[in-house]
Amino acid sequence: MNMIAIASIATASLTTSSAKSPLLLAHNNALPLKKQVSRNVQVGTDSLLQYFNETTAKLEKQVVGLSEAQLQFKPAPDKWSISQCLEHIIRSERMIFDMAKKGLDQDPQPERRKEIKLTDDNLKNALTDRSHKYQAPKELQPEGIYNDVKTALADFIAARQPVLDYIKKADAEDLRNHVSDSPTGPIDGYQALMFIAAHSARHTKQIAEIKADPNFPKQ
């Protein structure tokens, strides 16, 4: 099950113990993650929920009050607008979660937890590293449909709420026991869900880059 490749990052195939299928639709290269000797396993899902809340707040802070001209501005013809970034985040949020759930529906493999060498922080840092750029797959190429922030944020919250509801009901130990293989090494279900928030964090950084362009509209 493809759990590590996320829209706007890299192509990666994850396999459960029983099957291989695409999970987090991705790009053309594997994530440049560095293996670590130990993991920073969190107890419970509070830290995961906190990360989702933090990424939600940061995205809202970046886009609140932007005008239609600012949303549609492109730094260059081949670059995305903020509207396109928002659209891509929302599309990916839904798709990644739907596919992640399929992986978590598989039988757990607690005996494989010792194989995981990538820390949660290492995964987050790699996913949000904007020095590595990738081409989004056709399915997740945005058109720039959002002309007002209110509508975009409403769609974002609607896409994210089912993820939060799922995490609130989830057992952290069970999430950790769902282990999948990726080109960068095994990851667990907790980390697979973390990818969703990290993906939005990556594109929130992209939005900040667009706003920093010297030609970005003042209003």
Side-chain angles (χ1 to χ4, degrees):
M1 171 114 347
N2 241 351
M3 284 190 132
I4 194 168
I6 60 175
S8 87
I9 303 289
T11 296
S13 294
L14 301 181
T15 52
T16 63
S17 58
S18 59
K20 177 186 283 186
S21 60
L23 175 53
L24 307 185
L25 290 179
H27 298 231
N28 303 319
N29 302 293
L31 277 169
L33 302 180
K34 296 180 180 179
K35 291 189 176 182
Q36 302 292 325
V37 175
S38 62
R39 302 176 60 218
N40 58 330
V41 175
Q42 303 288 344
V43 177
T45 57
D46 287 351
S47 292
L48 186 58
L49 285 170
Q50 181 180 356
Y51 186 51
F52 270 86
N53 291 334
E54 288 175 355
T55 54
T56 295
K58 288 180 179 180
L59 177 62
E60 291 177 339
K61 183 178 180 180
Q62 283 294 335
V63 302
V64 67
L66 294 183
S67 67
E68 179 177 354
Q70 291 170 325
L71 287 173
Q72 294 295 338
F73 168 79
K74 290 185 176 184
D78 61 339
K79 301 293 185 180
W80 283 0
S81 65
I82 293 176
S83 177
Q84 286 175 296
C85 289
L86 288 167
E87 183 183 349
H88 176 74
I89 291 171
I90 293 164
R91 285 190 188 182
S92 302
E93 197 101 352
R94 295 180 177 125
M95 193 171 295
I96 294 170
F97 179 51
D98 285 345
M99 293 181 177
K101 284 190 298 182
K102 293 178 182 179
L104 289 167
D105 284 342
Q106 302 295 323
D107 293 334
Q109 310 91 30
E111 70 280 359
R112 295 196 61 202
R113 287 177 61 164
K114 62 182 181 293
E115 300 176 27
I116 301 176
K117 305 300 181 183
L118 300 175
T119 69
D120 295 349
D121 286 343
N122 182 237
L123 283 170
K124 285 192 284 188
N125 291 338
L127 289 166
T128 57
D129 181 2
R130 289 284 299 159
S131 66
H132 297 277
K133 304 295 176 64
Y134 303 94
Q135 181 70 31
K138 182 179 179 180
E139 298 89 340
L140 294 172
Q141 284 285 345
E143 299 176 5
I145 62 174
Y146 292 110
N147 293 317
D148 69 277
V149 171
K150 183 177 180 180
T151 300
L153 287 178
D155 286 352
F156 172 72
I157 295 301
R160 176 154 285 195
Q161 190 59 50
V163 187
L164 299 177
D165 292 341
Y166 184 92
I167 295 172
K168 289 174 183 177
K169 296 177 182 178
D171 177 80
E173 188 75 6
D174 181 62
L175 293 177
R176 293 294 188 185
N177 285 337
H178 282 79
V179 180
S180 297
D181 294 315
S182 84
T184 54
I187 65 168
D188 61 39
Y190 186 103
Q191 293 172 326
L193 291 172
M194 188 177 66
F195 270 81
I196 302 171
H199 174 260
S200 69
R202 177 181 178 83
H203 289 288
T204 298
K205 287 187 175 182
Q206 183 179 5
I207 289 171
E209 292 168 9
I210 297 170
K211 291 171 65 179
D213 187 279
N215 294 316
F216 186 71
K218 296 189 181 300
Q219 59 182 11

